[in-house]
Amino acid sequence: MKLYSFWRSLATFRVRIALNLKGLAPDDVVDVDLIKGQQCEPGFRALNPQMLIPALVADNGRTLFQSLAIIEYLDEIRPNPPLLPSEPHDRARVRALAQIVACDAHPLMVPRVRNFLERELKLDEPTRLRWIRHWIGETLVALETHLSRDPQTGRYCHGDSVTVADICVVSHAVGAKLFNVDLAPYPTVARIVDTCLAQDAFARAHPLKQPGAPATVTH
Ligand SMILES: N[C@@H](CCC(=O)N[C@@H](CS)C(=O)NCC(=O)O)C(=O)O
């Protein structure tokens, strides 16, 4: 397997966590520098016309894209430990929590959106940061409300086993920290995130642990 990755990419962070949980290691990790705009270069564009990472070239040579699709693929080829519960209603809840992050929140803070706010709409940096922190906060409120009131929340987002919901919630919380958003007002989210990040599979996948990452980030 070959993973196209960048230290700061939260979507690739999700895939790295899933690979670690499954005990899978890509043979090759190719750096796509999002700050330099390498995702838009012809070579990568040919691989993923959407010009986004992650992309995963599977052992059969076929290219997979979209983090949630890649994670479900990994779950299907390597079913243990499972990243989705077995009962349909539970699966829907886990997928819904994951999609709050991956489908609704994350797209509002990716480089292409931030670049558009800066270059086309001419928004200054404080205003762009306000945009990002607003959507991070709205998402944390939604996650905290769902997780704190639902008896199905356990040690993790759903019961006492890690699921794709935890992978996504951790990616959002780590993104929040990169943008200096305090998690203290969201105690259930913070507890689950701390529990996950205490595990090697999550900790090793952290953006700041990847090659090329700076020691600290302010936003
Ligand atoms: N929904 C996609 C999002 C992928 C995505 O937006 N990736 C970001 C990095 S986290 C990216 O490659 N951005 C490049 C850009 O915005 O130009 C997924 O979950 O894989």
Side-chain angles (χ1 to χ4, degrees):
M1 282 194 277
K2 188 193 277 196
L3 178 66
Y4 288 79
S5 173
F6 185 56
W7 67 267
R8 191 175 172 123
S9 162
L10 298 174
T12 314
F13 177 30
R14 298 194 276 270
V15 169
R16 283 196 302 267
I17 298 167
L19 285 164
N20 291 346
L21 287 167
K22 298 289 183 183
L24 295 167
D27 307 293
D28 198 6
V29 177
V30 181
D31 213 38
V32 180
D33 188 328
L34 298 183
I35 296 168
K36 290 186 182 150
Q38 288 178 343
Q39 70 276 27
C40 302
E41 290 178 1
F44 185 73
R45 192 175 188 163
L47 190 82
N48 184 2
Q50 208 188 355
M51 297 180 281
L52 304 180
I53 54 171
L56 183 78
V57 181
D59 287 338
N60 61 13
R62 290 171 66 177
T63 304
L64 302 167
F65 46 93
Q66 287 289 340
S67 62
L68 292 183
I70 295 172
I71 291 169
E72 289 209 17
Y73 165 82
L74 295 173
D75 207 30
E76 285 162 11
I77 61 162
R78 182 69 67 99
N80 282 309
L83 296 177
L84 281 169
S86 52
E87 198 273 319
H89 194 114
D90 295 339
R91 291 165 79 81
R93 176 175 183 262
V94 166
R95 285 189 171 118
L97 290 167
Q99 287 172 20
I100 287 175
V101 171
C103 303
D104 293 340
H106 181 221
L108 296 165
M109 62 188 91
V110 288
R112 62 197 179 282
V113 169
R114 293 163 65 187
N115 290 341
F116 191 83
L117 295 175
E118 179 182 357
R119 295 170 194 167
E120 302 295 325
L121 301 183
K122 311 289 181 206
L123 299 182
D124 60 16
E125 194 181 18
T127 311
R128 298 197 304 273
L129 284 173
R130 198 175 141 211
W131 162 281
I132 291 171
R133 290 180 180 135
H134 170 78
W135 295 116
I136 288 175
E138 291 280 299
T139 304
L140 287 167
V141 170
L143 290 171
E144 179 64 28
T145 309
H146 275 296
L147 291 169
S148 63
R149 74 179 184 189
D150 193 325
Q152 292 195 292
T153 303
R155 183 170 157 78
Y156 298 104
C157 288
H158 194 85
D160 295 330
S161 308
V162 168
T163 63
V164 66
D166 299 293
I167 293 176
C168 288
V169 168
V170 166
S171 77
H172 187 71
V174 167
K177 284 189 183 167
L178 294 179
F179 287 102
N180 283 326
V181 175
D182 184 13
L183 291 188
Y186 317 103
T188 316
V189 172
R191 172 184 64 75
I192 292 169
V193 168
D194 286 347
T195 305
C196 290
L197 285 173
Q199 289 187 33
D200 179 66
F202 283 83
R204 257 192 304 133
H206 194 287
L208 297 181
K209 293 274 174 56
Q210 305 314 305
T216 53
V217 175
T218 49
H219 58 262

